[in-house]
Amino acid sequence: INNPDALTDYAQLAGPAIQAAGGRFLARGNPAKVYEAGLMQRTVIIEFDSVEKAVGAHDSPGYQAALKALGSAAVRDLRIVEGV
């Protein structure tokens, strides 16, 4: 994170956009413990009913506006993983 203000702007837009698409926040914060090549970095886990809904949330106009507000204020690594 190199611009906390932009991150705040992103969060104010991203949270409602994700929830409007059916996303449920399961975890947010730094790991309690890491092993092997794990990184001590902020992690957010969001549950969706399907991969398609997760992709739709990411591609939605609301979330795209959040990404625009974030710009290059943080290095991100986003993954969509199918549940079991």
Side-chain angles (χ1 to χ4, degrees):
I1 299 170
N2 56 43
N3 184 339
D5 292 335
L7 183 62
T8 298
D9 294 342
Y10 160 82
Q12 290 175 346
L13 295 169
I18 289 167
Q19 290 174 323
R24 294 171 297 283
F25 288 90
L26 301 181
R28 279 187 258 201
N30 290 322
K33 181 77 176 157
V34 296
Y35 292 96
E36 287 116 23
L39 301 175
M40 185 59 78
Q41 294 179 340
R42 179 175 169 77
T43 302
V44 178
I45 300 172
I46 305 165
E47 179 181 50
F48 288 90
D49 290 336
S50 68
V51 169
E52 293 77 20
K53 288 193 179 207
V55 171
H58 178 273
D59 296 346
S60 72
Y63 191 73
Q64 291 302 304
L67 288 176
K68 185 175 180 181
L70 181 64
S72 61
V75 175
R76 298 168 17 97
D77 183 6
L78 185 135
R79 294 177 176 96
I80 296 175
V81 179
E82 192 165 12
V84 292

